[in-house]
Each structure stands twice: as C-alpha cells, then as structure tokens.
C-alpha cells in the first residue's frame, strides 16, 4: 500500500514537474517564437550577473513581479469567490493531466507500473469533465468581480466553452468507436498496430476529419487567439479585468496549462501518444523484416521522449497558429461552433460507425 | 458626379473552407520562423553575420546606420594648433531661427585672425537641428557630424553646451571648469577632431 502511494507520488511529481515547467516556459516561448516569426528579436534583457541566456530569465522575472504586485479586490466584490476563481481555474486544468499516459508500462520485479498518474478506465471522460469544470473559474471570476464588463466577459467565455465542448466531445467519439475503449492508455496501445503492415494505425490516419474538428474545438477551449473573445486583452474587456498580481497570473497560467493539455490530448488521441513507429516492447521491428532489439528501460525512455517531442511540436504549432490568425467575431465564433464543427463531427461519427459496422460484418 | 459601384467579391468555396487559408497563413509565418531561426543559429556559430535575422537594432549596443548627411550634435572644428577655427563673425548666431547660439567674441592675439569666441554656447533644448549654422559659416568652424543622437539630460541647464563640449564631442556633462584663457588647445578628451570632412566622418562614427 505504502509503495503504491509512493509510486503514484513519484509519477505525479514527474508529470507536474514537466507540465508546470513547460507552462512557465510558455511565456518565454510565446515571446520568442512570435518575435522570430515577425523578424524581431524578443525578450532578451533580463540578466543575472550579465548572463541573459536567450531571455530565459524573463519567466523568472515575471514570476517575481506577479508575486510582489499588490493584490486588489474591488470594493463590493465577493471576496471569497473572487479569490477562489483563479484557484478553480488552475486546479481543474492541473488535475486533468492525471489521466494523460506519458509512457508504456514499466516492470520492476513483479510490479507493473503504468506511466500514467491515475489509471482510470474512463480517463477520456475524466479529462473532459475536468475541462468542463474549468468553466466555473471563468464564470466565477466574471461574477465575483462586481464589474459589468467582467460579467459580460465571463458570460461570453461560458457560452463559448460550452458550445465548443459539445463539438469537442462528439469529435472524439470516432476515436472511441475505432479503438473501442475510453482508457487513454489502451487507446495509445491500440495505435501500435499497422495498416497494410507498415502504416501506423494512428488516430490521424483513420480519423483525419475528427482531428481537425478536435484541434479547432480544443483551441477554442483554451481561450487563446483566434478564439480569445473571453479575454480580448487588446480591445474588448475580459472576465479577469479586476484581477492583479498572481491571481491574474493564475488565469494566465491556466491558458498555458490548457494549451499543453490540448497538445497532450491531440498527441494521445491522434498521434500515437508514446508510440514510435515499428518500436515494439522488445525492439524495433521494421516492416522489411529487420530487427533491432532494445532493453526495457531504453524502450520506456524512448516512449516518454517520443511523447514529449510530439507534445512540444503541438505546443509549437498552437503558438504558431495563435500568432498567425486574427481573432474571430463573436457571431462567427458561434457559427463556426454550431454550424461548422458540430455537424462535421456528427457526420464523422455516423460515417465512422457505418464503416465499422460494415467492416465488422465482413470479417 | 457618377456613382461608383463597388462590387464586393464573394468568397469562393475554397476560401470559405477556411482550412486552406489557415494553411496558407501558417506557411508564411513558418517560412519566416524557420528562416530566422536558421539565421539566428548560424549567427551564434559566427556564420552569415552579414545577413540580418531581425530588423531590430539593439539600440544602446548597436547603432542604426545613419545617412551620410545626417545632422547630429554640433561640434566646433579646430585649427592645426588646436584652437577653435571660429572667428566670432556672428553669422550663425544671426541666422539661427531658434536663437539657440550665444557667442561672445574677443580679440585674437594673432594679428592675422581678427577675433575668437570667448564664449560659444548652444542650447540644445532650443535648437531645431536645421543646420543653417553649418551652411552659413564661412570658416567651416561648425559642423553637425558627430553622430551623437542621444542628447538627453535631467535639466534644461544641462542641455546647454559650452565651448569645451562643442570642441570635444566625446565629452559629457559635467565638464570640469576650464580656467585657461581662450584661445587655447582645449582637448581634454584627447580631441581628435582634425582633418577634412571625409576623414572626420570616418573617425566620428566610432565615437564612444
């Protein structure tokens, strides 16, 4: 019992170490990547003893700034809810990571450890539940601020998140149908087989439409450009106008955490999670018959590395999208959600189900 | 007056799909990203330094290239012996539209030279950098080629340049009080403002 607890603690520590650091680094990635693609240089002035390290000290400086700023609660605002809202946001974004598998199982002696913080049979449902609960942070922030603009921002955010959650949920039904499970670890294992002997059966291969619908809806969930109407820092006022200091920082962190979560989900559902093409638990088995054996630990570490690289790629892609596309108008946003993604996802589910029924009848 | 009918173009199906347009946008930004990324990497290895990866000039360390005729902070040119070339004719003070030049002329000990400036002050807080003083000077005694742009001070008094600073562009406030009587060789910062226009331009561009 004690050992189980310890193992879970270590797994959670590894996961959150990676995720929180990546979220912190996202502030740096955002500055630098946008700068480089716009022919600029980006933040490079924060220095410790003359070392600037490509501007990597800026996240540290940000954190120090956030923590030392004055925390303002507007007069007449609901103090408890105002304080609770950012904590809600971060909490639900963080606990969702417990369901993400970041590696295959490890055998130590007669103990089998799944590299997943919480082995849940319905991990997919769990993550979606946590994503949906994140809306409480947003609506509470708008509601508790005693500011009409914040309230309107909160309502906008809620409407957007709930609308896109439906498209998001339906988009992944196709994946669930094909791999026949809600357990993310099993979904990833299911992606380890091959079509025609050499094409990996990744989600993107069998569900390309669902992938685009999923990524679009998931980006809308993260409330970042081009779907940043809830915040709209530049013109329209968002739900966290009345927040300052680290409470604002927590909302900011939530955005980045959700981006990483979406990257993890896209990797897990559509890009084979920790799978590497042709890598089996005992080594590489290439379709032309060659075989390169690897040890168990190498295999597991390769898997974790593969997962990390895929997640980083998606983080890069989302950042690139965020700095490429302009913001939607609110009616366009709603139209895209309800009249674009929703029907496309439903049609995708119908087609997938039909094809699966025919294939299974045939076999 | 005729009415101009503006026909708004309908979006084609290809454009309405939106996805190809997103990919097109991503292509543009990604090309910039990877090009600049490759250049930044090459720069850190010391290669391809002549191709810029960003349009940014890192100002205090790196100066923008200035136009050849750029009008920057003034300086007074000197003779071979280091005394000011100015003969105190007051032409610049007269032509100055901002009235920022103050000259007090004195009799020069050399009988071949009529006068010299006992005081020559320019108030940069007032100066409009029109360059008329340079154009009007018959002796080529004042030039605006120091390439100093960061003329900034904490008070209006500090914006006033006296003859020491005008003859030594490298000099910054506060200037030590000069007790010597003019004309004398006033180059506490090493001077180095001799020579013709082209040469001084070359040496001036590497001023501290």
């Amino acid at each position: 019992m004690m050992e189980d607890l310890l193992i879970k603690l270590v797994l959670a520590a590894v996961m959150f170490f990676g995720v929180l650091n990546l979220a912190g680094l996202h502030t740096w990635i955002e500055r630098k990547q946008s700068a480089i693609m716009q022919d600029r240089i980006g933040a490079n002035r924060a220095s410790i003893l003359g070392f600037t390290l490509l501007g990597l000290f800026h996240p540290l400086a940000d954190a120090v700034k956030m923590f030392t700023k004055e925390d303002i609660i507007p007069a007449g605002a609901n103090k408890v809810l105002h304080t609770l809202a950012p904590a809600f946001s971060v909490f639900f974004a963080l606990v969702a990571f417990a369901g993400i598998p970041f590696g295959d199982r490890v055998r130590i002696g007669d103990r089998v450890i799944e590299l997943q913080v919480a082995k849940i049979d319905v991990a997919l449902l769990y993550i979606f539940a946590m994503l949906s609960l994140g809306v409480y942070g947003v609506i509470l922030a708008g509601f508790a601020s005693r500011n009409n603009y914040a309230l309107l921002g909160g309502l906008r955010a809620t409407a957007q998140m709930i609308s896109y959650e439906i498209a998001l949920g339906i988009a992944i039904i196709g994946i669930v149908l094909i791999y026949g499970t809600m357990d993310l670890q099993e979904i990833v294992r299911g992606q380890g087989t091959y079509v025609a002997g050499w094409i990996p059966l990744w989600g993107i291969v069998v569900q390309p439409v669902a992938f685009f619908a999923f990524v679009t809806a998931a980006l809308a969930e993260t409330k970042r450009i081009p779907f940043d109407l809830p915040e709209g820092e530049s013109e329209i006022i968002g739900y966290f106008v009345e927040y300052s200091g680290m409470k604002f920082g927590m909302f900011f962190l939530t955005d980045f955490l959700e981006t990483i979560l979406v990257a993890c989900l896209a990797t897990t559902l559509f890009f084979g999670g920790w799978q590497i093409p042709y890598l089996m638990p005992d080594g590489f088995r290439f379709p032309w018959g060659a075989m390169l054996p690897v040890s168990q630990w190498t295999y597991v570490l390769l898997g974790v590395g593969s997962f990390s690289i895929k997640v980083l790629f998606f983080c890069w892609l989302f950042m690139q999208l965020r700095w490429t596309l302009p913001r939607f108008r609110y009616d366009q946003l709603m139209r895209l959600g309800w009249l674009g993604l929703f029907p496309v996802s439903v049609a995708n589910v119908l087609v997938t189900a039909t094809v699966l029924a025919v294939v299974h009848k045939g076999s | 007056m005729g009415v101009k009918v503006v026909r708004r173009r309908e979006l084609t199906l290809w454009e309405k799909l939106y996805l190809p347009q997103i990919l097109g946008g991503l292509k543009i930004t990604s090309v910039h990203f990877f090009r600049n990324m490759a250049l930044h990497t090459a720069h850190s290895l010391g290669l391809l330094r002549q191709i810029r990866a960003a349009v940014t000039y890192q100002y205090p360390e790196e100066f923008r290239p200035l136009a050849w005729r750029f009008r920057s902070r003034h300086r007074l040119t000197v003779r071979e012996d280091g005394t000011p070339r100015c003969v105190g004719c007051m032409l610049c003070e007269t032509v100055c539209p901002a009235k920022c030049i103050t000259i007090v002329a004195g009799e020069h000990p050399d009988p071949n030279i009529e006068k010299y400036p006992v005081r020559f002050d320019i108030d940069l807080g007032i100066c409009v950098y029109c360059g008329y003083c340079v154009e009007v000077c018959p002796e080529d005694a004042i030039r605006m080629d120091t390439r100093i742009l960061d003329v900034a001070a904490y008070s209006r008094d500090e914006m006033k340049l006296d003859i020491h600073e005008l003859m030594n562009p490298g000099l910054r406030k506060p200037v030590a009080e000069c007790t010597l009587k003019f004309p004398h060789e006033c180059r506490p910062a090493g001077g180095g403002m001799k020579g013709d226009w082209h040469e001084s331009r070359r040496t001036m561009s590497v001023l501290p």
Side-chain angles (χ1 to χ4, degrees):
Chain A
M1 188 57 218
M2 205 59 207
E3 284 173 7
D4 284 337
L5 204 63
L6 211 63
I7 288 168
K8 288 294 172 202
L9 272 179
V10 169
L11 283 178
V14 168
M15 189 75 190
F16 290 128
F17 179 80
V19 166
L20 284 172
N21 271 307
L22 187 56
L25 269 181
H26 255 70
T27 59
W28 176 78
I29 298 174
E30 174 144 44
R31 283 175 179 150
K32 277 302 204 189
Q33 188 172 336
S34 64
I36 289 173
M37 62 189 263
Q38 293 170 355
D39 297 350
R40 296 185 285 113
I41 292 174
N44 65 350
R45 291 288 148 160
S47 72
I48 295 178
L49 302 174
F51 291 100
T52 54
L53 215 68
L54 299 170
L56 267 173
F57 293 130
H58 278 268
L60 285 183
D62 278 343
V64 170
K65 183 197 82 174
M66 294 272 193
F67 275 113
T68 50
K69 262 173 99 168
E70 186 187 358
D71 176 38
I72 297 168
I73 296 174
N78 189 327
K79 215 168 174 178
V80 178
L81 291 184
H82 189 271
T83 313
L84 218 55
F88 263 14
S89 285
V90 170
F91 176 77
F92 288 124
L94 269 179
V95 289
F97 281 97
I100 301 278
F102 57 94
D104 202 355
R105 55 168 79 91
V106 187
R107 274 175 225 281
I108 304 175
D110 54 352
R111 189 182 286 275
V112 177
I113 304 166
E114 299 278 358
L115 290 187
Q116 186 182 15
V117 177
K119 174 132 184 59
I120 314 171
D121 292 340
V122 286
L124 202 51
L125 280 187
Y126 163 76
I127 289 176
F128 277 71
M130 290 305 130
L131 261 180
S132 311
L133 283 173
V135 84
Y136 275 104
V138 171
I139 188 76
L140 280 182
F143 173 72
S145 292
R146 195 166 182 263
N147 177 328
N148 291 344
Y149 295 103
L151 182 59
L152 286 174
L155 289 179
R156 266 201 317 272
T158 314
Q160 172 183 332
M161 289 176 79
I162 289 179
S163 306
Y164 276 83
E165 232 138 57
I166 293 173
L168 192 69
I170 297 178
I172 49 140
I173 289 184
I175 288 283
V176 176
L177 283 176
I178 284 179
Y179 299 109
T181 173
M182 285 261 189
D183 187 343
L184 284 176
Q185 190 70 289
E186 289 308 316
I187 287 181
V188 174
R189 291 222 173 86
Q191 299 183 56
T193 51
Y194 298 89
V195 193
W198 63 277
I199 305 171
L201 191 70
W202 285 3
I204 182 80
V205 178
V206 280
Q207 290 280 306
V209 178
F211 171 69
F212 286 111
F214 172 81
V215 167
T216 315
L219 280 181
E221 281 288 302
T222 64
K223 307 188 286 293
R224 282 167 64 73
I225 292 172
F227 302 102
D228 74 328
L229 289 130
E231 293 156 17
E233 290 111 339
S234 44
E235 308 93 7
I236 45 177
I237 302 175
Y239 56 89
F240 52 51
V241 251
E242 296 293 358
Y243 281 87
S244 57
M246 198 54 209
K247 282 186 190 164
F248 167 78
M250 280 160 91
F251 281 121
F252 213 66
L253 185 69
T254 309
D255 271 14
F256 288 132
L257 284 175
E258 283 180 349
T259 314
I260 299 170
L261 183 67
V262 168
C264 287
L265 275 178
T267 307
T268 310
L269 294 174
F270 294 96
F271 278 81
W274 39 260
Q275 298 274 4
I276 300 175
Y278 316 126
L279 182 65
M280 304 289 161
D282 55 348
F284 284 98
R285 285 175 188 277
F286 296 107
W288 54 89
M291 161 95 193
L292 181 72
V294 293
S295 68
Q296 194 215 215
W297 281 106
T298 324
Y299 166 72
V300 169
L301 287 181
L302 275 176
V304 174
S306 151
F307 179 76
S308 314
I309 287 172
K310 286 172 192 170
V311 167
L312 284 179
F313 168 76
F314 273 108
C315 288
W316 174 86
L317 183 71
F318 294 157
M319 201 62 89
Q320 197 83 357
L321 273 172
R322 181 243 179 279
W323 285 97
T324 302
L325 300 178
R327 180 188 300 150
F328 281 100
R329 218 169 49 210
Y330 201 68
D331 61 319
Q332 293 170 332
L333 177 92
M334 281 298 164
R335 185 167 301 149
L336 179 71
W338 286 107
L339 299 180
L341 292 178
F342 179 62
V344 165
S345 310
V346 171
N348 181 59
V349 170
L350 287 180
V351 171
T352 311
T354 315
V355 170
L356 279 180
V358 170
V359 168
H360 281 295
K361 206 166 200 174
S363 60
Chain B
M1 221 172 84
V3 177
K4 189 174 181 189
V5 181
V6 179
R7 277 188 204 286
R8 304 234 178 267
R9 195 172 63 88
E10 290 279 307
L11 294 179
T12 61
L13 180 67
W14 183 252
E15 287 163 335
K16 272 189 194 153
L17 271 179
Y18 200 46
L19 218 53
Q21 302 296 315
I22 292 180
L23 291 180
L26 268 184
K27 193 185 130 209
I28 293 175
T29 49
S30 298
V31 165
H32 273 262
F33 178 81
F34 286 114
R35 174 189 166 273
N36 293 335
M37 202 65 193
L39 281 175
H40 279 304
T41 316
H43 288 181
S44 62
L45 297 174
L47 303 165
L48 299 175
R49 292 241 178 213
Q50 68 279 10
I51 311 173
R52 295 188 71 92
V55 292
T56 318
Y57 288 100
Q58 307 253 36
Y59 167 61
E61 293 99 43
E62 186 188 12
F63 284 83
R64 276 180 77 105
L66 296 175
W68 197 85
R69 312 193 326 170
F70 187 87
R71 295 195 292 270
S72 47
R73 211 185 92 176
H74 315 66
R75 71 178 171 106
L76 288 180
T77 53
V78 291
R79 298 170 197 278
E80 292 281 305
D81 60 355
T83 58
R85 204 178 271 277
C86 176
V87 294
C89 68
M90 308 283 181
L91 273 178
C92 51
E93 186 180 329
T94 311
V95 78
C96 180
K99 307 213 185 307
C100 67
I101 303 179
T102 311
I103 303 173
V104 175
E107 192 176 344
H108 203 282
D110 185 347
N112 296 319
I113 307 167
E114 200 178 338
K115 292 186 286 181
Y116 77 97
V118 178
R119 279 182 58 199
F120 195 113
D121 300 338
I122 297 184
D123 188 349
L124 289 182
I126 299 177
C127 174
V128 293
Y129 290 88
C130 61
Y132 284 1
C133 49
V134 179
E135 271 183 57
V136 82
C137 185
E139 298 286 326
D140 187 19
I142 185 167
R143 289 184 188 171
M144 297 176 77
D145 58 355
T146 56
R147 325 230 114 204
I148 296 174
L149 313 169
D150 48 347
V151 182
Y154 285 105
S155 68
R156 290 183 189 278
D157 277 343
E158 285 174 57
M159 295 295 283
K160 291 173 183 154
L161 301 186
D162 63 7
I163 195 161
H164 304 282
E165 287 154 293
L166 284 170
M167 287 171 71
N168 301 280
L171 210 60
R172 287 291 203 274
K173 296 268 185 192
V175 183
E177 189 89 13
C178 183
T179 50
L180 289 176
K181 192 176 169 293
F182 269 106
H184 68 274
E185 193 173 346
C186 179
R187 39 172 70 170
M193 294 293 290
K194 289 188 202 166
D196 65 353
W197 178 280
H198 297 279
E199 198 183 342
S200 63
R201 216 189 117 251
R202 227 174 298 129
T203 50
M204 277 309 95
S205 56
V206 292
L207 273 175

